[in-house]
């Protein structure tokens, strides 16, 4: 088995001899066996154990076992304790999903803190088969039918072609110690129900079911790679821009005939099939419709579909004590004192009457209820109404900063100054503030 894993690692280009590896070790037979093999192959590893506090003393005993296991192999050991039940309740998700999120977030943090570069998990061929049935029971596309990815960023799974039976035989032969998780026997979890009730029936129907299923998943992966290579140029043709903010051509999207193309466009952003159907329907509707996935928000604008990664909410505010106090600001500006009344007609430059401006100035994000007197007008207008007039969409509004003097908005940065602070014929000196 060790040679099979070695060949798989080389064939799939999963690990290099120079990699610094973090292995997630529960204490079960899969992860302890993987540690034994990788150490035997000469890889430099560190062990990470999560105590999810779900099984009382048993969870604590698992942690102590893995700590002792790491000491016996003389490898660095990391552990953490989570209040998984509370985390699941607060986030409104299943215990399994909460545990998964906690685990991988912590793993990534350990990589940064300890100068490691790969996360290795001990998922095996049986886990992959179970994942196939979990995904198909929840509705999925071709990618979901391929099971777990062998490689996902810096996460690799070198045992995905090894069956549980092979692992058990190897552990027995090499006298590898491990812990039994009592919750694995419970059928209250979907995966365990599939493992204990569905797969045994399929093995009765066909004794070679596991082997056949493993091969089928390999064929599906090959098909997926071919499909993606052929489909990608088509998907790319709908994008006007694709980076932190992705912009798609709305008129081109309307020409798509196949629902599957829509799915492949929007599923990577975390939108589920019902949302994707609604997005497609709303292309013909009134602009302004918004959709949210876990990590992204989508806006159907007049001519485009705009997708942005969600930003952390914050009440950001910065004070500027004098013209040189600008290095701490979140946007790059310059402030210059000029002794004349000439102005530049450029929305990225604010020419403000020096006598009307009072330091310290405040730079902050705009908020509902804000109002100002737009240049050229003689009455106040709410910023929210002004943005509608200027056809500024909701994503652009999130990135708008306002500059204030004594609580009054003097400039919507990069857009418009306030009429009351403009340079006029009576102006003797001005503050010229430029957005770079």
């Amino acid at each position: 088995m060790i040679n099979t894993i070695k060949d798989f690692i080389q064939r799939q280009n999963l690990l290099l001899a120079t990699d610094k590896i973090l292995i997630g070790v529960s204490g079960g037979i899969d992860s302890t066996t993987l540690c034994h093999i990788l150490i035997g192959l000469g890889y430099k590893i560190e062990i990470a154990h999560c105590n999810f506090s779900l099984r009382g003393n048993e969870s604590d005993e698992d942690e102590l076992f893995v700590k002792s296991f790491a000491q016996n192999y003389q490898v660095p050991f990391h552990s953490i304790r989570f209040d998984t039940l509370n985390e699941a309740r607060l986030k409104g998700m299943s215990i399994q999903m909460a545990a998964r999120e906690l685990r991988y977030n912590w793993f990534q943090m350990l990589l940064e803190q300890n100068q490691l570069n790969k996360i290795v998990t001990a998922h095996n061929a049986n886990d992959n088969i179970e994942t196939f049935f979990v995904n198909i029971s929840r509705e999925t596309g071709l990618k979901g039918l391929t099971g777990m990815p062998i490689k996902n960023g810096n996460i690799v799974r070198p045992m995905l072609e090894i069956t549980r039976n092979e692992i058990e035989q190897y552990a027995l032969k090499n006298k590898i110690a491990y812990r039994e998780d009592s919750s694995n026997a419970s059928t209250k979890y979907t995966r365990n129900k599939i493992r204990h009730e569905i797969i045994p029936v399929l093995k009765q129907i066909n004794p070679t079911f596991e082997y056949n299923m493993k091969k089928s998943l390999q064929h599906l992966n090959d098909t997926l790679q071919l499909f993606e290579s052929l489909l990608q140029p088509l998907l790319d043709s709908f994008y006007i821009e694709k980076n932190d903010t992705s912009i798609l051509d709305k008129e081109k999207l309307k020409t798509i005939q196949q629902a599957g193309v829509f799915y492949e466009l929007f599923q990577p952003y975390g939108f589920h099939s019902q949302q994707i159907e609604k997005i497609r329907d709303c292309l013909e509707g009134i602009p302004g419709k918004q959709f949210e996935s876990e990590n992204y928000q989508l806006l159907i604008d007049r001519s485009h579909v705009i997708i942005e990664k969600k930003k952390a909410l914050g009440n950001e505010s910065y004070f500027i004590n004098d013209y040189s106090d600008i290095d701490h600001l979140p946007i790059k500006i310059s402030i210059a004192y000029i002794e004349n009344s000439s102005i530049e007609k450029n929305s990225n430059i604010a020419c403000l009457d020096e006598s009307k401006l009072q330091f310290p100035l405040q730079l902050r994000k705009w908020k509902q209820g804000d109002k100002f007197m737009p240049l050229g007008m003689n009455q106040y207008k709410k910023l929210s109404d002004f943005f509608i007039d200027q056809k500024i969409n909701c994503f652009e509004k999130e990135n708008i900063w306002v500059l204030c003097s004594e609580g009054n908005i003097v400039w919507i940065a990069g857009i418009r100054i306030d009429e009351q602070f403009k340079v006029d014929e009576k102006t003797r000196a001005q503050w010229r503030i430029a957005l770079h």
Side-chain angles (χ1 to χ4, degrees):
M1 190 174 86
I2 190 167
N3 288 328
T4 302
I5 291 176
K6 180 181 178 180
D7 292 343
F8 185 72
I9 289 171
Q10 292 175 344
R11 190 169 71 252
Q12 298 293 337
N13 194 27
L14 299 184
L15 298 171
L16 300 174
T18 55
D19 282 334
K20 295 179 180 178
I21 299 165
L22 182 73
I23 303 184
V25 180
S26 64
I29 190 170
D30 300 334
S31 56
T32 55
T33 298
L34 180 58
C35 283
H36 181 275
I37 289 172
L38 291 185
I39 291 170
L41 289 173
Y43 290 103
K44 184 177 180 180
I45 72 165
E46 297 189 15
I47 286 175
H49 175 80
C50 300
N51 184 337
F52 293 109
S53 306
L54 294 172
R55 294 177 288 115
N57 290 336
E58 191 177 339
S59 292
D60 297 337
E61 289 167 2
D62 286 350
E63 182 177 351
L64 290 173
F65 169 81
V66 178
K67 183 178 181 180
S68 174
F69 181 89
Q71 289 172 344
N72 289 340
Y73 280 93
Q74 298 182 322
V75 297
F77 171 72
H78 311 274
S79 67
I80 193 169
R81 186 175 297 237
F82 294 117
D83 186 351
T84 313
L85 289 174
N86 189 52
E87 183 75 12
R89 180 181 60 81
L90 289 174
K91 292 196 172 181
M93 58 175 62
S94 70
I95 294 170
Q96 290 74 27
M97 287 300 295
R100 184 182 186 280
E101 185 175 289
L102 289 167
R103 176 170 64 247
Y104 284 109
N105 287 344
W106 181 56
F107 285 174
Q108 295 292 350
M109 186 179 73
L110 285 177
L111 256 60
E112 294 177 15
Q113 292 176 346
N114 297 279
Q115 291 77 53
L116 308 172
N117 66 314
K118 289 283 177 66
I119 296 169
V120 173
T121 70
H123 294 107
N124 59 49
N126 294 76
D127 295 323
N128 213 19
I129 293 168
E130 292 158 11
T131 298
F132 170 89
F133 286 102
V134 169
N135 288 347
I136 204 168
S137 70
R138 293 174 178 168
E139 180 185 13
T140 190
L142 180 56
K143 188 171 288 186
L145 296 180
T146 61
M148 299 178 184
I150 296 167
K151 182 163 45 177
N152 184 15
N154 57 10
I155 302 170
V156 299
R157 301 180 171 94
M159 292 215 298
L160 271 190
E161 290 193 348
I162 306 296
T163 65
R164 190 167 290 129
N165 183 55
E166 290 174 301
I167 293 169
E168 289 170 353
Q169 290 180 15
Y170 182 91
L172 180 64
K173 180 180 178 181
N174 291 276
K175 299 179 181 178
I176 299 172
Y178 61 90
R179 294 270 297 172
E180 289 282 3
D181 183 344
S182 62
S183 67
N184 285 338
S186 170
T187 56
K188 72 176 182 178
Y189 300 121
T190 302
R191 183 175 292 275
N192 288 356
K193 189 178 284 289
I194 290 168
R195 180 182 302 170
H196 297 300
E197 296 182 2
I198 296 175
I199 290 178
V201 174
L202 293 169
K203 288 170 74 173
Q204 287 177 6
I205 295 170
N206 187 343
T208 62
F209 165 77
E210 284 182 354
Y211 174 82
N212 294 342
M213 192 68 202
K214 188 170 73 168
K215 287 295 182 183
S216 295
L217 288 171
Q218 291 172 6
H219 297 327
L220 283 167
N221 262 295
D222 291 341
T223 302
L224 176 64
Q225 290 177 27
L226 175 62
F227 172 74
E228 288 180 338
S229 68
L230 296 173
L231 182 66
Q232 197 58 52
L234 173 62
L235 298 182
D236 290 342
S237 71
F238 296 104
Y239 284 92
I240 296 171
E241 190 174 326
K242 190 176 183 182
N243 44 47
D244 291 340
T245 299
S246 294
I247 302 173
L248 295 94
D249 189 309
K250 186 175 176 181
E251 291 305 314
K252 277 191 176 181
L253 291 175
K254 289 180 183 179
T255 66
I256 297 176
Q257 300 295 319
Q258 301 89 351
V261 175
F262 250 88
Y263 182 86
E264 294 299 329
L265 270 170
F266 296 107
Q267 187 275 334
Y269 296 102
F271 296 102
H272 57 70
S273 59
Q274 289 181 337
Q275 285 178 303
I276 293 170
E277 288 174 11
K278 288 181 180 178
I279 290 168
R280 189 178 188 184
D281 292 341
C282 288
L283 291 177
E284 300 290 351
I286 299 171
K289 187 71 176 176
Q290 298 180 54
F291 297 84
E292 288 191 7
S293 65
E294 183 178 356
N295 297 312
Y296 289 89
Q297 51 191 0
L298 178 150
L299 169 71
I300 299 178
D301 205 353
R302 291 166 180 81
S303 303
H304 309 104
V305 172
I306 306 167
I307 306 171
E308 274 195 354
K309 196 169 181 65
K310 288 182 179 178
K311 299 179 180 67
L313 298 177
N315 185 24
E316 299 173 84
S317 179
Y318 303 84
F319 287 93
I320 305 169
N321 294 307
D322 58 52
Y323 73 94
S324 62
D325 184 27
I326 57 175
D327 291 339
H328 66 295
L329 302 178
I331 57 176
K332 188 176 181 181
I333 65 170
S334 60
I335 304 176
Y337 180 81
I338 299 175
E339 290 184 332
N340 62 48
S341 60
S342 65
I343 60 172
E344 292 190 42
K345 294 183 178 180
N346 183 335
S347 60
N348 285 325
I349 298 175
C351 298
L352 305 169
D353 192 309
E354 180 269 342
S355 67
K356 299 172 184 177
L357 220 59
Q358 194 71 38
F359 283 90
L361 303 177
Q362 181 189 22
L363 182 71
R364 63 170 174 82
K365 286 290 184 75
W366 82 280
K367 58 181 184 288
Q368 289 293 337
D370 277 342
K371 61 181 181 180
F372 84 131
M373 189 178 292
L375 181 67
M377 297 182 66
N378 59 7
Q379 60 185 7
Y380 283 99
K381 195 175 190 72
K382 286 185 177 180
L383 264 64
S384 55
D385 294 334
F386 176 75
F387 293 152
I388 291 172
D389 294 343
Q390 299 298 309
K391 296 181 171 58
I392 296 172
N393 69 53
C394 62
F395 290 172
E396 292 169 331
K397 285 190 288 186
E398 287 184 359
N399 298 313
I400 289 176
W401 294 86
V402 295
L403 187 68
C404 305
S405 175
E406 297 184 307
N408 299 304
I409 293 174
V410 302
W411 184 35
I412 303 175
I415 301 176
R416 187 82 61 90
I417 66 167
D418 187 288
E419 170 73 18
Q420 300 164 101
F421 294 86
K422 72 179 183 180
V423 170
D424 57 26
E425 66 278 358
K426 297 178 181 178
T427 299
R428 294 189 176 184
Q430 62 175 288
W431 288 110
R432 185 168 291 179
I433 306 175
L435 177 65
H436 300 282

